[in-house]
Amino acid sequence: NNFYSVENLELCFFVTSKKIAEIFKNSQVINPLDRFSENLALTVIDDPYYETTKKKIHEERQRMMRALTKSNISYYESDTNFFLVETNSKRDEIMAEFENEGLILYNSLDGFNDYWTLPVSEKDTNDKVLDILRYDNLDNN
């Protein structure tokens, strides 16, 4: 749903035993799938734009993680369009540096310990982000 900004694209499925499936089946957790949402999801999954964009995000994420590794910046690997990163400075200080460069970071409370969410963007934007993170990490090298 985030990729296409369509709320109805929140679909999930369970792979489980019959016993566990009965628990879910008899709970309020399950939202029935209507025909519109199913057709929309099937259309989206075959969209060439989605495949092209997914490939770009994957390649850019890999490039960013290689750059972070080379710069000795700690992060958690991810298979999504974001990952968790740890910086010397607090997240708010890094965000202020981003804003000085005209970058606005999505403000979320996602994180783990001192790690915070870093989204993957276009190459030019990511290069600015990496420069700021590298500069922040100079004290560690």
Side-chain angles (χ1 to χ4, degrees), residues 97-138:
E97 289 296 321
F98 287 170
E99 288 180 25
N100 286 341
E101 291 295 319
L103 306 172
I104 306 297
L105 183 66
Y106 170 74
N107 194 7
S108 73
L109 299 176
D110 301 336
F112 176 73
N113 292 335
D114 292 332
Y115 289 80
W116 48 272
T117 303
L118 180 66
V120 177
S121 186
E122 299 284 328
K123 184 181 184 311
D124 292 343
T125 300
N126 291 333
D127 286 344
K128 288 180 184 180
V129 167
L130 288 168
D131 285 346
I132 291 168
L133 296 180
R134 287 178 184 130
Y135 184 78
D136 179 67
N137 196 51
L138 286 178

Side-chain angles (χ1 to χ4, degrees), residues 8 23 46-47 50 54 61 65 67-68 71 74 82 111 116-117 120 131-132:
N8 293 35
I23 294 170
D46 292 328
D47 183 355
Y50 170 74
K54 187 170 74 168
R61 181 181 64 244
M65 289 192 296
L68 292 172
S71 299
S74 186
F82 65 91
W116 48 272
T117 303
V120 177
D131 285 346
I132 291 168

